[in-house]
Amino acid sequence: MIPFQPILNSLKSYEAGKPIELVVREFGIDPHQVIKLGSNENPFGCAQPVVEAVQKAASTMSYYPDDSYLDLKTALGERFGVTPDRIIPGNGSDQVLDFACRCVLGPGDPILINRITFAMYKIYALQCGAKVHSTETVPHDLNAFLDLTKSVRPKIIFLCTPSNPVGDALDKSDVYEFLRRIPQDTLVVIDAAYMEFGNKKDPNKFIPAKEVTDLFPNVFYTGTFSKVYGLGGMRIGYGIGNKELISNLYKMRPPFSVANLSALAATTALQNESHVESYLENNLNEMKRYESFAQEEQIEFMNSYANFITLFARKNGKTSTEIAQSLLRQGIILRDLKSYELGALRITIGRPDQNDRVLDALRREFA
């Protein structure tokens, strides 16, 4: 028997959204009839110039990338107003979250997370042998974080705003007041994967990367190209912080951690903000349709600042799992949040035609 690390007994694998291919195999549905709204991807895809740039550069895939990623970091620096040495790219933003955990945490070190939040914070911390503490509330409650900080003295605090998987978001002013009360030797990670959506819906939720990391050197700000830029399949994200933090995070980074085509796609995507704005406008308008549906059907929902909405399945005796499975047989992939013990469905906001079909199916379920 291989002597695996004992910590693995307490770890669960991350549960990804159901892929289209699996639904096609299980139910014999035409793949063109499957709607995938379970993983918070961009239903419009990336900007066309990104596709063209990647196609043109496809012949370079036999070569390793430029490991400095200077073009990407320069483009990100211009986007956020920071110098390239304050940026670290990653194979998805979850990779730079892993770097942060391995840089700071040792066996027994405490971290603090929200009760309902992105699962990888806990997984990465436990891999380091750390001890995970969490609040009791579903949406983020900064007072609860402060109370626990006094007793727990966490090495890392994770704030996901707007949050995954429920979509709540914190006001910038509240976050800054919170940060003023946090010890400077505590690393505070602001996971901003959905920040563009929060800013579109309510500018008070917008936390600028440069400003927050300038004011609070103990803040590490992370973002991704998977959501608003439509590059989920390219697996690319980034982190922004002070120079000392980024320099140490680089010591955790494997060589060539981002594929050359992924870096090119991200760099090109940053030059096509009109595509992003069009998607944000669709997301905001179509979100209102789901909110109206929930109000009409008297279904509890979370006011979301992301690209998805969370509906609590507490009507007609049907569980979230039963509803999700029923829609799955119709070729509609949503996310059942049963693993979070919420009894809720998370629905990515799709294109208008996709939302037409989903809302019709939901009306039948809740009739």
Side-chain angles (χ1 to χ4, degrees):
M1 290 285 291
I2 298 173
F4 295 110
Q5 289 290 331
I7 192 64
L8 294 177
N9 294 323
S10 63
L11 283 178
K12 293 182 179 179
S13 298
Y14 179 75
E15 182 183 341
K18 206 174 189 74
I20 291 175
E21 294 80 3
L22 188 56
V23 176
V24 171
R25 289 196 297 269
E26 283 187 10
F27 302 106
I29 299 172
D30 181 344
H32 297 101
Q33 296 301 311
V34 178
I35 298 175
K36 187 170 185 256
L37 297 178
S39 298
N40 304 338
E41 295 145 323
N42 185 329
F44 295 96
C46 63
Q48 185 59 29
V50 176
V51 175
E52 294 169 359
V54 171
Q55 290 174 335
K56 185 176 180 180
S59 62
T60 67
M61 69 176 67
S62 60
Y63 299 98
Y64 287 121
D66 169 9
D67 199 44
S68 74
Y69 298 103
L70 184 59
D71 288 346
L72 174 59
K73 290 192 295 184
T74 299
L76 279 167
E78 292 173 353
R79 169 73 173 77
F80 290 103
V82 298
T83 53
D85 56 1
R86 291 180 55 184
I87 300 169
I88 182 168
N91 186 2
S93 59
D94 47 312
Q95 186 182 52
V96 297
L97 294 169
D98 180 31
F99 296 162
C101 286
R102 290 194 286 121
C103 228
V104 173
L105 298 175
D109 285 339
I111 73 158
L112 182 54
I113 62 176
N114 200 57
R115 177 192 156 201
I116 305 296
T117 197
F118 183 43
M120 294 310 300
Y121 309 149
K122 181 177 182 179
I123 291 172
Y124 288 144
L126 290 176
Q127 287 173 355
C128 297
K131 187 173 182 180
V132 179
H133 300 264
S134 65
T135 64
E136 295 298 324
T137 58
V138 173
H140 282 64
D141 182 339
L142 291 178
N143 288 326
F145 273 87
L146 283 171
D147 288 344
L148 282 169
T149 297
K150 294 172 185 176
S151 57
V152 171
R153 295 288 295 181
K155 295 288 289 291
I156 302 180
I157 296 173
F158 288 94
L159 297 180
C160 187
T161 182
S163 83
N164 180 23
V166 293
D168 63 293
L170 297 164
D171 281 354
K172 168 187 161 181
S173 59
D174 293 337
V175 171
Y176 282 19
E177 179 57 32
F178 170 79
L179 292 171
R180 293 185 187 100
R181 301 173 66 180
I182 295 299
Q184 290 297 298
D185 60 354
T186 296
L187 178 65
V188 179
V189 177
I190 295 178
D191 184 344
Y194 299 92
M195 189 62 71
E196 295 92 346
F197 302 97
N199 184 35
K200 179 68 175 180
K201 188 170 184 176
D202 181 357
N204 291 318
K205 309 295 183 184
F206 179 60
I207 301 173
K210 173 177 169 54
E211 183 179 85
V212 72
T213 53
D214 281 350
L215 290 173
F216 305 100
N218 60 323
V219 166
F220 182 46
Y221 181 106
T222 67
T224 180
F225 286 89
S226 296
K227 310 303 178 186
V228 77
Y229 289 102
L231 293 176
M234 301 302 278
R235 302 301 299 128
I236 182 161
Y238 55 88
I240 298 173
N242 70 65
K243 294 178 183 180
E244 181 185 22
L245 172 62
I246 297 300
S247 175
N248 279 290
L249 292 176
Y250 259 90
K251 297 172 185 177
M252 301 290 125
R253 189 182 73 89
F256 313 116
S257 58
V258 173
N260 53 6
L261 296 182
S262 296
L264 172 64
T267 304
T268 308
L270 288 167
Q271 301 164 6
N272 288 271
E273 290 293 334
S274 61
H275 180 79
V276 169
E277 183 56 34
S278 176
Y279 169 40
L280 290 173
E281 192 68 29
N282 175 84
N283 186 78
L284 191 61
N285 292 334
E286 293 294 304
M287 176 86 73
K288 294 174 183 175
R289 297 180 62 193
Y290 283 95
E291 293 171 344
S292 296
F293 161 76
Q295 290 164 352
E296 291 166 6
E297 298 293 335
Q298 297 182 316
I299 301 168
E300 184 182 351
F301 67 95
M302 184 69 69
N303 188 22
S304 175
Y305 296 87
N307 67 338
F308 57 83
I309 189 167
T310 301
L311 304 181
F312 295 91
R314 297 169 186 164
K315 189 179 179 184
N316 298 342
K318 292 183 179 179
T319 67
S320 61
T321 300
E322 289 171 333
I323 296 171
Q325 284 298 315
S326 176
L327 267 65
L328 200 57
R329 288 190 289 271
Q330 302 172 54
I332 299 172
I333 305 172
L334 309 181
R335 185 65 180 267
D336 178 17
L337 297 182
K338 64 178 180 179
S339 61
Y340 291 90
E341 300 179 357
L342 277 181
L345 295 168
R346 191 189 68 191
I347 307 169
T348 306
I349 306 301
R351 302 188 307 269
D353 61 302
Q354 294 175 319
N355 298 327
D356 288 343
R357 189 170 151 199
V358 174
L359 287 167
D360 285 344
L362 288 173
R363 286 190 178 93
R364 290 192 293 270
E365 292 296 325
F366 288 102

